[in-house]
Amino acid sequence: MQALFLAGGKGTRLYPLTYGIPKPMVPIMGCPLLEHNMNILKLYGIKDIILSVCYKSAYIKNYFGNGSAFGLNLKYVEEDSPLGTGGAIKNCERYLKDTFFIFNSDILSNINYYEMLNYHNKQKAAVTIAVTRVDNPSSYGVINFDKHGYATSFCEKPSADNITSHFINAGVYIFNAKVLQEIPAGKNVSIEKEIFPKLLAEGQKIAVYKGCNYWLDIGTLEKYVQANQDGFIGKLFLPNMNFRQQSIYSQPNTKISKSVILRGPVYIGENVQIQANTVIGPRVILGNNTVIGKGSNISDSILWNRIQVKNEIKIDRCIITDESIVKNASHNNIITPESTRPI
Ligand code: GTP
């Protein structure tokens, strides 16, 4: 079985986090989102993965390479300019065969992919779309469906007085390869707005799968913070990490002074140094190769990689991106190497 990740979007709603890195690579609990999602696929024996990349593609390629270090077989298909979700899928046609999964790369979900595939086969559908129920669907793609589990219509981002369903497109699909014939080549096409409605109009079967146990789209800052918080309360499914069972996770080669107080839940990445008389936690993520100076106090914050926090600095409710140097106390801010701004 193959999987295709759509990983080429600009991630503008997540600025400034995505100035330097593509959205699929933002860290969740110290590990890139895309890596978490690929680790989950490995649990299902899916190792042949195609990455459709565009915005900051080099970052993704440099990190994963050909995938062998991750136990995966990766292929990249690059766009010179964005082709949209449908155009990007069509662009990968040469690698896709039979039946395959497609994922948006900005979601965290807990879906039983075996069950979803069985459902797709049972429904004899051309496409199966995973759907999830949300209270307010107005910023999502809403799907209406019949009692047999087949889509009947789609509505992108409905206004409050036009909400006909609370089930939304979860950005996880199973496609039969013949559907690719329906997508024009070399054009910017939206799978959600153009191709799915076209398939319905032609009378093709689009099944909806309602088996999302957890689902979050990390497309906005608010949701990005929520994803990490959900990790701390064990709501988020992360292979190898469950904060309900353990409150401090520490990777190899850390140097933590004896006088440091760790108030879980706390995640500490590789090669992190925490100097004397520091208080870390609760709900703090320290990414790899980070140094926390003496007497500092960090709570409710997400620190990415290669960060220096100087001595005696208080940090609360901040997101700090790669290579930042923090010299001043900070509360409720996003700190990047270039600037600091409120969340
Ligand atoms: P925003 O700019 O914040 O809307 O984010 P985005 O550009 O990522 O768009 P959106 O959230 O709608 O994208 C959903 C998924 O499709 C994400 O995983 C994107 O990486 C991916 N995606 C969106 N547009 C393209 C594209 O033109 N090419 C490719 N390869 N992937 C895309």
Side-chain angles (χ1 to χ4, degrees):
M1 194 79 184
Q2 296 168 295
L4 161 63
F5 280 92
L6 298 174
K10 280 185 117 178
T12 50
R13 289 167 298 150
L14 215 47
Y15 283 168
L17 300 187
T18 43
Y19 279 153
I21 71 173
K23 183 166 59 167
M25 297 303 282
V26 297
I28 307 287
M29 291 288 149
C31 170
L33 170 63
L34 189 54
E35 190 175 345
H36 282 303
N37 283 329
M38 296 207 275
N39 284 339
I40 292 173
L41 287 192
K42 273 203 292 190
L43 300 178
Y44 290 88
I46 301 176
K47 295 182 181 169
D48 286 329
I49 293 177
I50 298 145
L51 293 164
S52 166
V53 293
C54 186
Y55 177 69
K56 300 210 178 286
S57 58
Y59 194 102
I60 300 179
K61 289 173 167 176
N62 289 342
Y63 187 88
F64 292 109
N66 66 7
S68 56
F70 298 82
L72 297 165
N73 172 24
L74 300 183
K75 289 196 171 62
Y76 298 88
V77 180
E78 185 126 20
E79 291 153 41
D80 296 332
S81 60
L83 286 173
T85 46
I89 295 169
K90 179 72 176 179
N91 205 30
C92 297
E93 189 167 19
R94 64 186 176 280
Y95 291 127
L96 296 167
K97 50 184 187 301
D98 307 326
T99 299
F100 47 86
F101 281 92
I102 302 179
F103 298 90
N104 283 359
S105 301
D106 55 351
I107 54 159
L108 282 158
S109 63
N110 187 357
I111 294 174
N112 183 322
Y113 297 124
Y114 294 137
E115 272 184 18
M116 185 171 167
L117 183 59
N118 284 340
Y119 181 77
H120 174 79
N121 291 332
K122 187 181 109 220
Q123 293 290 84
K124 298 189 179 7
V127 171
T128 295
I129 306 177
V131 295
T132 189
R133 195 186 184 288
V134 292
D135 290 336
N136 180 6
S138 56
S139 47
Y140 297 102
V142 166
I143 304 188
N144 295 295
F145 48 88
D146 64 22
K147 63 179 184 193
H148 305 292
Y150 295 106
T152 51
S153 64
F154 297 89
C155 181
E156 277 297 309
K157 302 188 173 77
S159 56
D161 54 356
N162 195 24
I163 291 171
T164 49
S165 160
H166 285 264
F167 284 92
I168 59 156
N169 177 344
V172 175
Y173 315 111
I174 298 176
F175 268 48
N176 291 350
K178 67 172 189 210
V179 171
L180 299 174
Q181 295 166 12
E182 306 289 337
I183 310 175
K187 280 177 75 174
N188 188 306
V189 188
S190 160
I191 198 76
E192 304 88 346
K193 292 183 204 150
E194 295 169 73
I195 304 303
F196 290 153
K198 179 179 169 212
L199 293 177
L200 273 194
E202 287 169 359
Q204 300 219 37
K205 284 183 179 169
I206 301 183
V208 295
Y209 179 71
K210 292 200 265 180
C212 284
N213 297 315
Y214 173 89
W215 184 84
L216 189 70
D217 147 32
I218 62 114
T220 61
L221 279 171
E222 186 200 4
K223 294 287 169 68
Y224 174 70
V225 171
Q226 189 190 332
N228 287 282
Q229 285 169 348
D230 285 352
F232 282 133
I233 58 171
K235 229 174 125 182
L236 182 64
F237 172 57
L238 299 170
N240 314 327
M241 209 188 297
N242 185 344
F243 277 94
R244 280 188 191 151
Q245 289 163 359
Q246 195 178 323
S247 77
I248 312 278
Y249 278 87
S250 185
Q251 298 298 339
N253 302 322
T254 54
K255 276 196 200 150
I256 304 176
S257 162
K258 285 203 179 96
S259 57
V260 168
I261 298 173
L262 297 177
R263 294 192 177 129
V266 167
Y267 171 89
I268 303 169
E270 274 182 34
N271 300 315
V272 168
Q273 270 187 48
I274 310 179
Q275 295 175 356
N277 302 319
T278 304
V279 180
I280 307 287
R283 293 170 296 277
V284 168
I285 298 166
L286 302 179
N288 299 335
N289 305 307
T290 285
V291 180
I292 310 297
K294 283 182 220 157
S296 289
N297 186 322
I298 308 183
S299 52
D300 280 293
S301 293
I302 304 165
L303 280 67
W304 291 12
N305 302 306
R306 302 179 297 284
I307 289 165
Q308 286 180 47
V309 175
K310 297 294 184 185
N311 296 343
E312 313 278 337
I313 303 290
K314 184 166 171 45
I315 294 172
D316 177 54
R317 292 172 196 268
C318 290
I319 302 170
I320 308 179
T321 68
D322 290 353
E323 322 225 324
S324 299
I325 301 176
V326 189
K327 297 178 184 160
N328 300 307
S330 205
H331 173 77
N332 228 23
N333 282 324
I334 296 174
I335 303 171
T336 65
E338 297 78 26
S339 63
T340 296
R341 55 150 263 204
I343 285 183

